[in-house]
Amino acid sequence: MNNKLSKDKIRILITGGTFDKEYDEINGRLFFKDSHLPEMLSLGRSRLDVDVRTLMMIDSLEMTDADRAMIAEQCAAAPGERLVITHGTDTMSETARFLEGRVAGKTIVLTGAMIPYKFGSSDGLFNLGSALAFVQVLGPGVYVAMNGRCFAAANVRKNKKTGSFEERE
Amino acid sequence: MNNKLSKDKIRILITGGTFDKEYDEINGRLFFKDSHLPEMLSLGRSRLDVDVRTLMMIDSLEMTDADRAMIAEQCAAAPGERLVITHGTDTMSETARFLEGRVAGKTIVLTGAMIPYKFGSSDGLFNLGSALAFVQVLGPGVYVAMNGRCFAAANVRKNKKTGSFEERE
Amino acid sequence: MNNKLSKDKIRILITGGTFDKEYDEINGRLFFKDSHLPEMLSLGRSRLDVDVRTLMMIDSLEMTDADRAMIAEQCAAAPGERLVITHGTDTMSETARFLEGRVAGKTIVLTGAMIPYKFGSSDGLFNLGSALAFVQVLGPGVYVAMNGRCFAAANVRKNKKTGSFEERE
Amino acid sequence: MNNKLSKDKIRILITGGTFDKEYDEINGRLFFKDSHLPEMLSLGRSRLDVDVRTLMMIDSLEMTDADRAMIAEQCAAAPGERLVITHGTDTMSETARFLEGRVAGKTIVLTGAMIPYKFGSSDGLFNLGSALAFVQVLGPGVYVAMNGRCFAAANVRKNKKTGSFEERE
């Protein structure tokens, strides 16, 4: 380990997921409107140099490989080397592995939430703080930051029963 | 940079600060009772291997060098090499510099909050996620993790006007 | 109008509705577990003499006339004359009219919420305070307390587009 | 009791109190800025016809009889007969008794909060819903609406130990 922190601008790519779900009080369903990322960065008093791009606003169970190819393109085309991707947890590990190998020389950290930010008890703020820290320090590669931990893309899965992320055997 | 993440147990030392302030509804003043750290870790769905010790519950403006010496002893005596210290923001930079040089061979990250966790709009969850990420990746040294950023103890100060942390000139 | 406030014990009957919906972080759906009524009364620092009974925990779109007959029985069988019923908003007006005529000599106030209490931005606390006030002052009859207002059962409907309650023409 | 609900416009007079206190993150003190009343009415999905006037923004321990005389004048001068006053809890009972006798023929309900609205766990929303309900139904007089209950001005005091309102012996 060493102590170098990157000062590069960080690009945040938004793809939706539980992070950004809201409650529609007219029909009682969960839905997507705008991302809460800017509000969360402001709440966290973040002074990082970031720019935020919304690529899509979908449940990750509905994410196709065409969507993933578009995310990979956006990662490759980004001017800087450090990216955070907000993503639904259900297929976060799959997207991480998809990006690995397709995007070289960049540090990419995927994160998300188990509870929508708007529901007042979200793990989203904790995870966002964590992902933004890991992306400043880790070398090139694709990672998943959840549960306070950081996993290499090749070695992570969501445990469907507990909802936690863990190493694959 | 490299990609090694420590899997050591992390010790969290609690010293008080805005993080843990509550509102006393009988007399209308802010006060300390118990730490909210365990609740925050649970809210963040943290699966990190941590142990939490409360050293004191004070406003950092009241922290003396005797208090700081005690914190340094606790850091040195901790079995592991990775520690997070929750601390009031007003003298966080001073404590960081005090610890530097007095505790060798350990990674120590100080963090805190501008708004009490109980006030529902705290930066505390974001900062805690950030500090726990930095402490897993950085090499030995004393750091301050605030505003999404991480500063070496020698090179940090709180800007009293903006409330943000920044590099010293 | 006069100024008599009842000091009778108030019975609160819980039937579910948006009031009590929670977010299931494993499958991403809304569901019912326990009622939040006791927590809400405690948060509101209520010192009213109440007892709380959970009759069912359902979405009001699923409420049948058999369910409504059971609610009417419970109202009639309650020892006191003052009842508040928490209820989903979609069929609250229908249940109010069902109870009217079937339960005589009692003051019954139905209330609910547009946003689940657990989502941190609920109108539930406001409505609960309102319903508990109306039930102490109004004479026998069945009422709906929503949007800060109170409607007689015979003259209320939910506007499906705005989500607000209003007089029927 | 009868069942008449007033449909008059309700005037809300704001005087400050815990209701509206905020946390100053630069100096760590509680302070007043703008009233949260409009936000609370919106959160409660209130459809009542109200107008809101801010008379002062003070801690009720600092309220003088000159302030109270001004409040009485504002009550008398208001075009309608129904008023809600938000007020610090420490001297709410005193102000209620001051207004009684000085303002005739109007229904005036004082309310407040033990916890600031901004602290995310406020009894304020509950009390506001309660006060707005009582003011629509009760006849002329001055009342205090706290803890889900409603007290005549002549017969109320705050219990300094428990923080609750109760009848005077």
Side-chain angles (χ1 to χ4, degrees), chain B:
Chain B
M1 297 188 193
N2 70 15
N3 298 333
K4 288 284 165 50
L5 271 98
S6 161
K7 291 197 177 181
D8 295 353
K9 187 189 275 277
I10 299 163
R11 175 156 292 186
I12 302 178
L13 301 178
I14 291 166
T15 73
T18 298
F19 232 49
D20 275 331
K21 279 190 184 162
E22 304 204 33
Y23 183 79
D24 182 334
E25 66 186 76
I26 301 303
N27 68 21
R29 294 206 206 96
L30 298 168
F31 76 118
F32 293 108
K33 206 166 57 175
D34 300 318
S35 175
H36 302 101
L37 246 289
E39 185 184 337
M40 292 169 77
L41 290 169
S42 158
L43 201 63
R45 274 80 179 150
S46 173
R47 294 271 172 166
L48 292 168
D49 188 15
V50 301
D51 65 13
V52 179
R53 291 206 172 183
T54 301
L55 300 190
M56 59 198 83
M57 280 296 251
I58 62 172
D59 191 307
S60 80
L61 288 172
E62 292 164 21
M63 192 179 281
T64 64
D65 278 356
D67 294 325
R68 291 189 176 94
M70 192 267 262
I71 296 171
E73 272 170 47
Q74 289 282 332
C75 289
E81 282 165 31
R82 300 187 180 275
L83 296 108
V84 166
I85 303 174
T86 67
H87 196 287
T89 59
D90 285 315
T91 68
M92 189 185 290
S93 306
E94 286 68 20
T95 301
R97 274 188 287 283
F98 185 98
L99 295 178
E100 181 128 278
R102 283 185 177 81
V103 190
K106 305 216 172 186
T107 302
I108 300 173
V109 180
L110 288 84
T111 195
M114 294 303 291
I115 298 270
Y117 169 68
K118 273 311 221 189
F119 293 6
S121 60
S122 175
D123 50 329
L125 263 183
F126 180 83
N127 291 341
L128 183 61
S130 164
L132 285 169
F134 284 125
V135 85
Q136 293 174 71
V137 190
L138 293 173
V142 182
Y143 310 88
V144 163
M146 289 291 292
N147 305 116
R149 305 178 63 194
C150 190
F151 304 87
N155 193 27
V156 63
R157 69 170 182 193
K158 182 181 174 187
N159 182 318
K160 305 285 181 196
K161 277 185 197 159
T162 63
S164 296
F165 284 75
E166 58 191 22
E167 281 91 5
R168 298 160 93 187
E169 283 98 56

Side-chain angles (χ1 to χ4, degrees), chain A residues 123-136:
Chain A
D123 50 329
L125 262 183
F126 180 83
N127 291 341
L128 183 61
S130 164
L132 286 168
F134 284 126
V135 85
Q136 292 173 73

Side-chain angles (χ1 to χ4, degrees), chain A residues 35-149:
Chain A
S35 175
H36 303 99
L37 246 289
E39 185 184 337
M40 293 170 75
L41 290 168
S42 158
L43 201 63
R45 273 81 180 149
S46 171
R47 294 272 172 167
L48 292 169
D49 188 13
V50 301
D51 64 15
V52 179
R53 289 207 175 185
T54 300
L55 301 191
M56 58 198 83
M57 278 297 251
I58 62 171
D59 191 306
S60 78
L61 289 172
E62 293 165 21
M63 192 179 281
T64 64
D65 278 357
D67 294 326
R68 290 188 177 95
M70 192 266 264
I71 296 171
E73 271 169 49
Q74 289 282 332
C75 290
E81 283 166 30
R82 302 188 178 274
L83 295 108
V84 166
I85 302 174
T86 67
H87 196 287
T89 59
D90 285 315
T91 68
M92 190 186 290
S93 306
E94 286 68 22
T95 302
R97 273 189 287 283
F98 184 98
L99 295 178
E100 182 128 278
R102 282 184 178 81
V103 190
K106 304 216 173 185
T107 302
I108 300 173
V109 180
L110 288 84
T111 195
M114 294 303 290
I115 298 270
Y117 169 67
K118 272 311 220 190
F119 293 3
S121 60
S122 175
D123 50 329
L125 262 183
F126 180 83
N127 291 341
L128 183 61
S130 164
L132 286 168
F134 284 126
V135 85
Q136 292 173 73
V137 191
L138 292 174
V142 182
Y143 309 88
V144 164
M146 288 292 292
N147 305 117
R149 304 178 63 194

Side-chain angles (χ1 to χ4, degrees), chain D residues 9 25 44 59 95 102 106 118-119 125 138 162 168:
Chain D
K9 188 189 274 278
E25 66 185 74
D59 192 306
T95 301
R102 282 183 179 82
K106 305 216 172 187
K118 272 311 222 189
F119 293 6
L125 263 183
L138 293 173
T162 64
R168 299 161 93 186

Side-chain angles (χ1 to χ4, degrees), chain C residues 39-58:
Chain C
E39 184 183 339
M40 292 169 77
L41 290 169
S42 158
L43 200 62
R45 273 81 180 150
S46 172
R47 293 272 173 166
L48 292 169
D49 189 13
V50 301
D51 64 16
V52 179
R53 290 206 174 185
T54 301
L55 301 190
M56 58 198 84
M57 279 297 249
I58 62 172

Side-chain angles (χ1 to χ4, degrees), chain D residues 102-114:
Chain D
R102 282 183 179 82
V103 190
K106 305 216 172 187
T107 302
I108 300 172
V109 180
L110 288 84
T111 195
M114 294 303 290

